[in-house]
Amino acid sequence: MDNSMDRLIAKAQEKKSRVILKMAPGIYMFPEVKEDSQKSRISQLTEYCTKTLLGLAAKAPAVMFDYSAFAFYGTEGLLSLSMFLTMARNLGYFVILDGCFAGEGALKMCQASFYAEQGLKRLEFPADAVTLSPYIPAEDLKEIAVLCREEDRAAFICAKSKKNAAKESFENIKTDGGIKLYEAAVDDAGAFGESYVGEKGYSVLGFMTAPVEKSSDMRDLDRWGIALVNALPDDLENPGTYDFFYPKECEGEFVVVTDADIAEKLGEADGKFSAESAMDFYEEAVEKVEKFRLEKK
């Protein structure tokens, strides 16, 4: 029986891309306007997101939206997010809502998102997948896995936020089992998702991480979860960024690039960023990722 991950991989194979653009647009990225009003800021946000989604629809298998970035714009930002989630799904993207939802509210957020109607009549956040904090009650995570299977959706557990996190950071704390906390999160994704694997061999529960030195060790903890690897622009040149792709099969990983990081890399984070910049960089990223990916065959 197929599942949501089968659908995501099929889109990636069709479009020959394993790159996901994460939209986390900050106010500082766009040109200043004479009238510094909420309306003008939302207009810039709307223009940027609309152009980018339309421009990449034929090239990108999936798109990710940073919930907190849109929330920063206030009520209008969340209304815009609701609109763009619906727009992206209507354009054929596999849509991921990145909120790293935690605690007992994680299950409720999954239910709200997965049951949302694709319309513009009210504030809803329809998505094919959401990102979750690893700090979720075990019973809720089990229920989320079942929900994903029943509703043809997916969830990604946030396992590691930065490539070079300090040793004293929370995610690097060692558990009683001797593994680090972020590794335990990957282990949970594997354990809770094992029973919900689709025809292509991937579970409805995956994990989101950053490029790490021992990615093979993380793969041993979760052999059937799709890995979303948050990559900085410079990480695209590092072969280690692609270690979550299975050799020969060359699947199992998607590289996530964030528009805010792209703007910083291009020197356009001071009001010079545009949809054209995002789209051009995306196409360059796809070429780099495909080159490294195919070398594993």
Side-chain angles (χ1 to χ4, degrees), residues 250-271:
C250 291
E251 297 293 354
E253 174 181 343
F254 284 81
V255 176
V256 179
V257 291
T258 305
D259 53 9
D261 293 330
I262 296 171
E264 187 71 32
K265 175 66 176 179
L266 297 178
E268 298 180 2
D270 55 350

Side-chain angles (χ1 to χ4, degrees), residues 38-50:
Q38 186 70 11
K39 182 178 179 180
S40 61
R41 294 199 296 269
I42 291 299
S43 296
Q44 288 185 311
L45 174 71
T46 301
E47 180 182 3
Y48 161 71
C49 291
T50 300

Side-chain angles (χ1 to χ4, degrees), residues 231-281:
L232 295 172
D234 289 343
D235 292 330
L236 297 176
E237 305 289 350
N238 180 5
T241 300
Y242 310 100
D243 284 345
F244 288 102
F245 281 114
Y246 285 109
K248 296 183 180 180
E249 179 191 356
C250 291
E251 297 293 354
E253 174 181 343
F254 284 81
V255 176
V256 179
V257 291
T258 305
D259 53 9
D261 293 330
I262 296 171
E264 187 71 32
K265 175 66 176 179
L266 297 178
E268 298 180 2
D270 55 350
K272 301 174 185 176
F273 196 64
S274 66
E276 288 74 19
S277 295
M279 291 186 287
D280 289 345
F281 190 92

